[in-house]
Amino acid sequence: MTATVLGIELGSTRIKACLVDADDPARVLAVGSHAWENQFENRLWTYSLDAVWEGLRAAVAGIADDGGDLTSVRAVGVSAMMHGYLAFDAAGELLVPFRTWRNTTTQRASDELVAALGVNIPLRWSIAHLHQAVIDGEPHVSRLDHVTTLAGYVHERLTGARVLGVGDASGMFPISASGAPGGEGVDYDAGLVARYEHLAAGRLPRPLVELLPRVLVAGADAGRLTDEGARLLDPTGSLPAGVECCPPEGDAGTGMVATGAVAPRTGNVSAGTSIFAMVVLEGPLEGVHPEIDLVTTPSGDPVAMVHCNNGASELAEWAGLFRRFSELSGAPLAEDEVYDLLFREASAGDADAGGLLAYNQLAGEPIAGLAEGRPLFVRTPDSSFTLANTVRAQLYGVFSTLALGMAVLADEGVRLESMFAHGGMFRTAGVAQRFLAAALDAPVTVGETAGEGGAWGMAVLAAFRLAEAPDLPAWLADHVFGSAAVNTVDPDPDDVAGFATHLERYRAGLAVESAAVDAL
């Protein structure tokens, strides 16, 4: 029987499970998935914990439905969307509904933290949510025993271990850059922890380091799957208890692993409900930039992250309109067929999308200066309103805010030799990849596992735990990506010039988007 490892990722719209060969992690054996959506309740984006476990069980059941053998699993890894706020009391009871990364209600906290710590603290980071609750004097703060991310919560229920992979932990509170190679000594920045303790003096029931999960690097021992944990994932009893578990990670970390972009001068773009770019740095940035988060790879190396709250969700809404039209026409198309046709039509559009503008902001977008989102499709009377340009504008809209943030890194002189992309929108060969290359003016590579994304990346991290190898980048190069089939698209000069023209118009049109937030 082939020994396998199981990777699970709780994304924004889909929970995915991926079973791979433990000795050949590039070999995907079975996948399972479950669709879910966040809820906007009491003006906050959230998911219920019941929905978490319902979705996890459905995704793992899909592995068996796809022919996977759960009895062969020897290691498990869990990943989830980063940041946000899950607060628990000493009995393990959730004190307030899960506040996801998508919430932008922490501006005052972020401002205070930036002033006190001297580093960028994005609105979605866990410490921003915690400090906003402190500022607002929320009653639950006095009962706090610990806070964590979604991946940390699931991992603790599965293993009993309150730990977090360093990549995910770096979205809770800044990580020290003084750790030794291989991750030894990597932890929350002690100096900044002390500054925060001074800022929050007398307003927290416990020291900050006792509230946060313990930090682990890739490959570390993060506990074992308990009997209860195994049954939470698989009520049938096929999944064995006692197997190894690797440190839980965030979707940014699994995106880096899934693209092999964990060494300096490499980067990756992950496109889903949100879209973000990760660029592994050779050294610190000169300035503090609100557009740039400083996080880490799963091994603890410094990374510049450009995170946009809004990714492909609005594009999916438009695809849904065309899918419904196909049903009404009597020639219904599957979802992937709709995307394939629309994307290929977009290839024939004008390089600047014919003057059309698509703003994909369903939620607030800090990089664009928007506290809330209002999806807009805007054109002037003389614009070229064709289907090709309409779809191209929607695709450009997914990448435009990302391009604004990446320009900051370019101004810092950050060198980028390769950019990898993953996520479902890259399944149609070449199209989204081509437009991303134009937006970044850099080659973009997509591998065969682009559609599997973070769940596969988490399975790879679980395999790395079993391998007990000392160096993640070298192990990935030798055991995962050495013979992987990839496709690289170089930026087309006409596309680059067209996207640049589009981006200038997009910047100017943000005033329209801002006015819509005020008026609607």
Side-chain angles (χ1 to χ4, degrees):
M1 180 174 65
T2 300
T4 65
V5 293
L6 176 64
I8 301 169
E9 183 157 282
L10 296 98
S12 302
T13 60
R14 191 167 292 275
I15 300 173
K16 296 189 72 173
C18 185
L19 189 74
V20 307
D21 187 325
D23 295 321
D24 181 12
R27 182 180 169 219
V28 176
L29 302 174
V31 295
S33 68
H34 172 78
W36 72 334
E37 285 288 349
N38 53 194
Q39 294 83 44
F40 193 57
E41 298 177 355
N42 298 319
R43 301 195 63 77
L44 289 171
W45 294 102
T46 188
Y47 298 84
S48 75
L49 297 191
D50 287 343
V52 168
W53 295 108
E54 176 187 348
L56 285 169
R57 285 189 288 269
V60 171
I63 291 288
D65 293 341
D66 197 32
D69 179 9
L70 291 175
T71 67
S72 67
V73 172
R74 297 296 175 264
V76 176
V78 175
S79 173
M81 59 191 100
M82 292 177 67
H83 319 300
Y85 184 69
L86 278 157
F88 296 90
D89 66 14
E93 293 297 320
L94 187 67
L95 293 172
V96 291
F98 172 32
R99 297 171 182 177
T100 79
W101 56 271
R102 201 172 191 180
N103 291 293
T104 54
T105 56
T106 56
Q107 186 65 61
R108 183 180 169 191
S110 177
D111 292 342
E112 284 194 11
L113 290 165
V114 170
L117 305 183
V119 297
N120 184 37
I121 303 293
L123 303 183
R124 66 186 178 279
W125 276 26
S126 304
I127 188 61
H129 286 279
L130 171 61
H131 191 56
Q132 190 65 51
V134 169
I135 291 171
D136 294 340
E138 293 193 35
H140 81 271
V141 171
S142 64
R143 298 172 53 201
L144 273 178
D145 178 76
H146 63 279
V147 298
T148 190
T149 64
L150 182 56
Y153 160 72
V154 172
H155 181 89
E156 183 173 356
R157 288 293 307 275
L158 297 181
T159 66
R162 189 170 300 160
V163 299
L164 204 58
V166 62
D168 204 4
S170 68
M172 295 196 77
F173 192 86
I175 296 293
S176 171
S178 60
E184 184 177 349
V186 172
D187 206 344
Y188 303 112
D189 189 299
L192 298 186
V193 168
R195 290 190 199 179
Y196 182 71
E197 293 286 7
H198 178 74
L199 177 65
R203 293 186 286 176
L204 286 176
R206 306 181 66 187
L208 179 63
V209 291
E210 294 182 9
L211 293 174
L212 299 176
R214 184 163 57 93
V215 179
L216 298 176
V217 298
D221 181 357
R224 293 177 177 270
L225 192 64
T226 64
D227 289 334
E228 179 189 4
R231 298 298 80 78
L232 280 171
L233 291 178
D234 173 36
T236 72
S238 297
L239 182 65
V243 301
E244 297 269 7
C245 290
C246 64
E249 264 299 348
D251 50 359
T254 56
M256 286 185 276
V257 171
T259 53
V262 293
R265 299 189 192 180
T266 65
N268 79 91
V269 170
S270 176
T273 299
S274 65
I275 183 170
F276 52 83
M278 312 287 291
V279 178
V280 186
L281 300 174
E282 296 178 275
L285 300 180
E286 291 184 5
V288 176
H289 304 285
E291 303 91 346
I292 307 297
D293 307 358
L294 293 178
V295 291
T296 78
T297 70
S299 296
D301 295 317
V303 172
M305 179 181 191
V306 179
H307 185 282
C308 306
N309 283 351
N310 299 277
S313 293
E314 178 67 1
L315 176 66
E317 296 285 351
W318 281 76
L321 290 178
F322 287 103
R323 186 180 184 190
R324 176 58 180 156
F325 178 81
S326 74
E327 293 171 346
L328 292 174
S329 74
L333 298 172
E335 182 178 13
D336 282 353
E337 291 177 302
V338 171
Y339 276 107
D340 188 70
L341 286 173
L342 292 177
F343 279 27
R344 295 189 188 286
E345 178 69 6
S347 296
D350 297 321
D352 66 348
L356 307 181
L357 292 173
Y359 292 93
N360 66 334
Q361 284 86 1
L362 286 158
E365 191 61 81
I367 288 180
L370 299 169
E372 297 183 32
R374 299 292 185 273
L376 291 178
F377 180 65
V378 182
R379 68 186 184 95
T380 57
D382 61 344
S383 58
S384 179
F385 186 29
T386 66
L387 178 60
N389 283 335
T390 296
V391 182
R392 191 162 180 144
Q394 292 294 336
L395 282 161
Y396 276 11
V398 174
F399 301 136
S400 291
T401 312
L402 182 73
L404 298 178
M406 290 296 290
V408 176
L409 287 182
D411 291 342
E412 276 267 6
V414 173
R415 298 177 63 185
L416 186 62
E417 294 178 351
S418 59
M419 182 65 82
F420 295 79
H422 75 115
M425 69 183 297
F426 296 104
R427 284 200 297 266
T428 297
V431 181
Q433 182 182 5
R434 168 188 161 191
F435 295 158
L436 179 59
L440 302 180
D441 193 12
V444 173
T445 298
V446 173
E448 289 183 344
T449 57
E452 305 304 334
W456 178 70
M458 199 64 226
V460 170
L461 283 173
F464 180 65
R465 165 64 190 150
L466 290 182
E468 297 184 347
D471 184 79
L472 179 62
W475 182 82
L476 288 174
D478 292 341
H479 293 85
V480 181
F481 292 99
S483 59
V486 298
N487 172 260
T488 299
V489 170
D490 292 318
D492 178 271
D494 291 339
D495 285 343
V496 172
F499 187 86
T501 299
H502 160 82
L503 194 62
E504 289 180 11
R505 190 179 294 115
Y506 185 91
R507 285 181 188 268
L510 284 171
V512 179
E513 174 72 11
S514 181
V517 171
D518 292 337
L520 300 176

